[in-house]
Amino acid sequence: MTTPLSPTASPDPNNLPVVRLLPKANARAIRHGFPWVYANEMVVDRRTKALAPGTLAVLEDSARQVMGIVAVNPLSKIFCRMLDQNAEAEVNQSWFEGHINRAFQLRDQLYDAPYYRLIHAEADGLPGVVIDRFGDTAVIQANAAWADVHLDTLTAALIEQTGVKNVLKNAAGRTRALEGLDDVSGVLHGEAPKAAVPVRMNGAIYMADLTGGQKTGIFYDQRLNHAFAAQLSKGKRILDVFAHVGGFSLAALANDAASALAVDGSAPALELAQQGADAMGVGDRFDTRQGDAFDVLTALRSEGAEFDVVICDPPAFAPGKPALDAGLRAYERVARLAAPLVAENGILALCSCSHAVDLTQFRTASVRGIGRAGRRAAMLHTGFAGPDHPQLPQLAETGYLKSLFFRL
């Protein structure tokens, strides 16, 4: 007869503390791949509250059946993140190397150059960890406390498996604050690039600022959507709103668009976009306009401007559920202001990277905005993030990116 584990017993050779689910928690969902356990699903006492953020523990269900190794953060609403359903696994450099190697093998199949998202958090088995690769340099966002604790080991494993020479830490993500982590970026290995790094995608050249730009320097997730927009752009006039470093506009110019105007609130981002256009030899067909996107859209209409293809790729208007209603209103407003600038039978592309907005909600807000602008639309295509941003089927948040293409 098997003796049940006591609350402080450990079933594994690592001698980890034990944490337990409440009876109301959905243990089946966790066993079937859901990676998070919320604080209100846990038995929380003085012992568990005293665990340091990032502590590794063994998770049990309410019947004291072992479920695997989790990372604990008593300061976060996500109390536990599942790391390994094998409770005897050792989370060491070899463990990290196994996850990185699997991710690397997939990207090596997909891309002919080492410019991609290498680790996409939960979907690649490393919850809260994002790693973007730029040739010999990798940028890590450790957005969960456990990853921050193991950052040196993660870095060593990354170098061993990929051969990158430089590893940077990007601490700008809002999630780090929710995990109680610092916002100090820096160099973990090697050195930081002294200038923007050129990244070739879809025939375009993008200049990525790995130390001072948004996110890790570039948005790899839009690669396929850039390519789809470029197919529609040959000989056309392009307006790229919330352009960052020229994601959509430079891809369009690489496919022989007649002209492109990039709009963004960031002067440094637009300067990088201009550098990319010049490096491609299309600077004479490229222009930029700095300013608040809503103001610029309004001004362009008053100027009588018209474009064949208009793309709007704003930041996350609804990064969490509390911002959902305001975010949907903002997406509707973007559609309403952008639609009048689209020529008859032209293309309007609208994007959302908001975790809290699902596809149906985003499509409804977009169509409402187009209608309020007095335009009729036929939807041509729905795009998502590329395969270097795999989705975890059990976690809807990993399917955050949505791109809708309409003919007006």
Side-chain angles (χ1 to χ4, degrees):
M1 177 177 176
T2 302
T3 303
L5 293 165
S6 70
T8 57
S10 175
D12 76 301
N14 299 314
N15 194 31
L16 299 176
V18 175
V19 293
R20 183 171 298 121
L21 296 178
L22 290 169
K24 70 174 183 177
N26 190 348
R28 179 180 295 179
I30 297 167
R31 285 196 170 94
H32 290 175
F34 188 76
W36 297 344
V37 185
Y38 296 102
N40 62 3
E41 299 176 301
M42 298 294 303
V43 175
V44 179
D45 53 23
R46 281 185 295 178
R47 179 182 62 86
T48 54
K49 285 182 179 179
L51 294 174
T55 297
L56 303 187
V58 171
L59 178 67
E60 297 178 347
D61 64 17
S62 60
R64 298 187 177 184
Q65 295 298 307
V66 174
M67 302 183 69
I69 295 177
V70 294
V72 176
N73 187 349
L75 303 179
S76 172
K77 289 182 179 179
I78 303 174
F79 199 97
C80 294
R81 298 173 188 265
M82 179 62 74
L83 300 184
D84 203 309
Q85 291 188 327
N86 175 12
E88 296 185 359
E90 293 187 53
V91 180
N92 53 21
Q93 183 171 330
S94 177
W95 183 89
F96 278 107
E97 285 188 22
H99 285 78
I100 292 170
N101 181 263
R102 282 192 292 274
F104 174 67
Q105 293 299 327
L106 173 63
R107 276 66 176 184
D108 197 45
Q109 281 181 279
L110 293 169
Y111 304 108
D112 59 5
Y115 295 85
Y116 43 65
R117 173 149 296 181
L118 175 62
I119 295 293
H120 192 52
E122 280 78 1
D124 281 308
L126 296 177
V129 177
V130 167
I131 303 177
D132 283 349
R133 184 172 182 183
F134 301 85
D136 287 337
T137 300
V139 181
I140 298 177
Q141 285 187 318
N143 295 323
W146 81 276
D148 213 56
V149 169
H150 293 271
L151 197 53
D152 289 345
T153 307
L154 171 60
T155 300
L158 175 64
I159 294 167
E160 178 66 26
Q161 288 298 312
T162 66
V164 295
K165 297 177 181 177
N166 310 302
V167 182
L168 311 182
K169 171 191 172 184
N170 182 301
R174 61 179 291 274
T175 309
R176 285 182 61 85
L178 300 177
E179 288 277 306
L181 302 174
D182 65 56
D183 60 355
V184 180
S185 298
V187 178
L188 299 172
H189 181 82
E191 60 183 13
K194 294 179 173 59
V197 175
V199 177
R200 296 178 181 271
M201 290 191 298
N202 298 314
I205 299 175
Y206 300 100
M207 306 306 292
D209 180 355
L210 305 192
T211 57
Q214 294 181 42
K215 302 293 184 180
T216 60
I218 206 168
F219 297 107
Y220 283 130
D221 53 1
Q222 286 281 25
R223 188 189 314 238
L224 294 181
N225 298 317
H226 292 163
F228 185 80
Q231 290 179 17
L232 302 169
S233 299
K234 188 170 185 176
K236 305 298 185 182
R237 300 162 295 171
I238 312 302
L239 175 62
D240 182 7
V241 188
F242 306 99
H244 190 226
V245 297
F248 282 96
S249 43
L250 296 186
L253 289 170
N255 200 45
D256 296 326
S259 64
L261 173 62
V263 175
D264 202 89
S266 168
L270 291 177
E271 174 57 31
L272 290 171
Q274 185 67 59
Q275 290 177 26
D278 292 341
M280 294 165 58
V282 297
D284 58 328
R285 292 184 280 136
F286 182 68
D287 199 4
T288 64
R289 187 157 171 173
Q290 184 196 358
D292 175 83
F294 295 103
D295 293 342
V296 174
L297 287 170
T298 302
L300 287 171
R301 185 178 184 185
S302 68
E303 295 163 15
E306 184 178 80
F307 302 88
D308 303 299
V309 180
V310 175
I311 306 110
C312 297
D313 183 18
F317 287 143
K321 290 184 179 179
L324 177 59
D325 290 342
L328 290 172
R329 288 193 297 271
Y331 287 122
E332 179 182 330
R333 186 183 176 203
V334 169
R336 177 172 56 82
L337 293 176
L341 301 175
V342 180
E344 185 75 12
N345 297 318
I347 303 297
L348 175 62
L350 301 169
C351 307
S352 167
C353 61
S354 292
H355 295 266
V357 175
D358 66 28
L359 177 59
T360 299
Q361 291 170 321
F362 178 55
R363 186 169 54 226
T364 298
S366 298
V367 171
R368 184 182 296 120
I370 293 169
R372 290 185 63 192
R375 302 299 297 270
R376 290 182 176 273
M379 196 157 73
L380 302 181
H381 176 69
T382 301
F384 302 98
D388 55 342
H389 292 64
Q391 296 184 32
L392 188 67
Q394 299 89 344
L395 190 63
E397 286 85 348
T398 59
Y400 65 98
L401 183 65
K402 301 147 292 265
S403 295
L404 306 176
F405 289 81
F406 299 93
R407 190 187 195 202
L408 301 194

